[in-house]
Amino acid sequence: MELIKNISTAEQPYLFTRHVHFLNFSRFGGDQPVYINIIRDPVNRFLSNYFFRRFGDWRGEQNHMIRTPSMRQEERYLDINVCILENYPECSNPRLFYIIPYFCGQHPRCREPGEWALERAKLNVNENFLLVGILEELEDVLLLLERFLPHYFKDVLSIYKNPEHRKLGNLTVTVKKTIPSPEAIQILYQRMRYEYEFYYYVKEQFHLLKRKFGLKSHIRKPRPRPEFFIPSPLETEEPIDDEEEDDDKWLEDIYKR
């Protein structure tokens, strides 16, 4: 209630950016804000977090020591393959069930890996988010944000491509990151089964949205997917013509949700 009050009474325009699990403002009598988010490949997210907690980024050599001062040296230098293959807590569920809970919401079951949390997360994406983008296609995310919310994101792509911004962005790259063995990655895939089903669902919706607004997809070749996943959605390579529905009216309908 305190968070809802703080956000609802803030002077407009207002952009709140924090790690917050989805909160339904309307359930508590508040006006629902416009939700946006960006997710990334689950394994890449996990690896980035694993090494960032240990070694930080290029902004400062001691950055990681500030974040994890109590981490023992043997833990800090624990080989990623050992962590995965020997089933250390940091490399097994529920630690790997990370993305879905943010979209699922506040219910305790949202923290439990399974179909219930997955389906609730998908429902919230469809009903409560203006846009959920894919980090691997960030420039397209920025183009859509500028289209949907120009008051907040005007010229955002130009800002993103500015050399000074890129220089700052490069400083946040995680250092000492290594790639696990194929066997370890396969185990991560299995442990992140629901995360990947959600990721590919969001990716499919994002590509449909890009097609609607005439954006071409420039997709890197994806890594092989395990057999247990649902088939990949078709990648969007060419824009489509849709004369049946006006784009601006479609956007207005989104805002009315």
Side-chain angles (χ1 to χ4, degrees):
M1 289 300 297
E2 182 179 352
L3 178 62
I4 291 174
K5 180 181 178 181
N6 289 342
I7 293 178
S8 300
T9 58
E11 183 179 351
Q12 303 294 323
Y14 184 72
L15 180 67
F16 185 82
T17 170
R18 289 291 186 276
H19 292 300
V20 178
H21 290 213
F22 173 75
L23 180 59
N24 191 337
F25 281 49
S26 58
R27 271 192 69 190
F28 300 92
D31 292 330
Q32 191 81 319
V34 176
Y35 273 101
I36 58 177
N37 212 322
I38 302 175
I39 66 174
R40 67 187 298 191
D41 178 277
V43 165
N44 287 340
R45 185 214 64 79
F46 166 75
L47 294 177
S48 181
N49 181 67
Y50 182 89
F51 291 103
F52 180 73
R53 291 182 66 247
R54 285 162 170 76
F55 307 114
D57 54 33
W58 293 106
R59 287 175 293 182
E61 292 183 2
Q62 299 304 314
N63 182 280
H64 58 289
M65 298 297 293
I66 297 173
R67 289 180 175 271
T68 55
S70 62
M71 184 178 286
R72 302 188 307 275
Q73 285 297 94
E74 58 267 28
E75 181 183 0
R76 192 176 301 281
Y77 289 93
L78 176 65
D79 183 271
I80 183 70
N81 290 301
V82 173
C83 183
I84 297 169
L85 296 176
E86 296 188 12
N87 203 26
Y88 279 65
E90 186 177 1
C91 297
S92 60
N93 283 328
R95 285 290 190 91
L96 303 184
F97 190 67
Y98 182 89
I99 301 174
I100 288 175
Y102 278 101
F103 292 87
C104 179
Q106 304 290 327
H107 195 287
R109 291 185 68 183
C110 290
R111 314 303 189 266
E112 301 171 7
E115 292 290 339
W116 189 92
L118 170 64
E119 293 305 318
R120 184 160 177 152
K122 289 180 181 179
L123 184 66
N124 281 332
V125 167
N126 293 336
E127 295 187 351
N128 295 295
F129 282 79
L130 174 66
L131 173 68
V132 180
I134 300 296
L135 183 62
E136 292 80 7
E137 302 170 40
L138 181 57
E139 291 191 10
D140 287 344
V141 177
L142 298 178
L143 286 171
L144 288 176
L145 285 174
E146 184 176 22
R147 175 69 182 270
F148 296 166
L149 300 169
H151 190 59
Y152 292 86
F153 292 98
K154 181 176 173 59
D155 297 327
V156 65
L157 193 57
S158 299
I159 296 170
Y160 172 71
K161 290 185 174 182
N162 181 283
E164 289 301 313
H165 176 274
R166 300 309 289 263
K167 187 187 301 183
L168 290 173
N170 288 338
L171 292 176
T172 65
V173 175
T174 302
V175 299
K176 298 187 179 181
K177 186 190 296 186
T178 60
I179 303 301
S181 67
E183 180 186 4
I185 288 180
Q186 179 66 21
I187 290 175
L188 282 180
Y189 271 131
Q190 293 169 350
R191 293 175 182 172
M192 299 171 116
R193 174 180 188 141
Y194 295 108
E195 292 279 277
Y196 267 101
E197 187 169 341
F198 180 73
Y199 173 76
Y200 282 110
Y201 176 81
V202 169
K203 190 173 184 178
E204 178 183 24
Q205 300 305 308
F206 181 62
H207 285 176
L208 290 173
L209 196 60
K210 284 170 57 173
R211 291 180 63 193
K212 188 170 190 63
F213 286 90
L215 293 181
K216 294 183 179 181
S217 293
H218 301 285
I219 312 297
R220 297 176 184 175
K221 185 178 180 180
R223 64 172 58 130
R225 299 179 62 200
E227 296 178 356
F228 56 75
F229 284 126
I230 56 175
S232 280
L234 294 176
E235 306 292 8
T236 304
E237 296 185 352
E238 297 294 336
I240 60 171
D241 296 321
D242 187 355
E243 300 178 354
E244 297 181 0
E245 184 177 3
D246 179 74
D247 286 345
D248 292 331
K249 182 180 183 304
W250 176 87
L251 192 56
E252 288 174 8
D253 292 340
I254 289 286
Y255 278 110
K256 291 175 183 177
R257 289 181 179 177

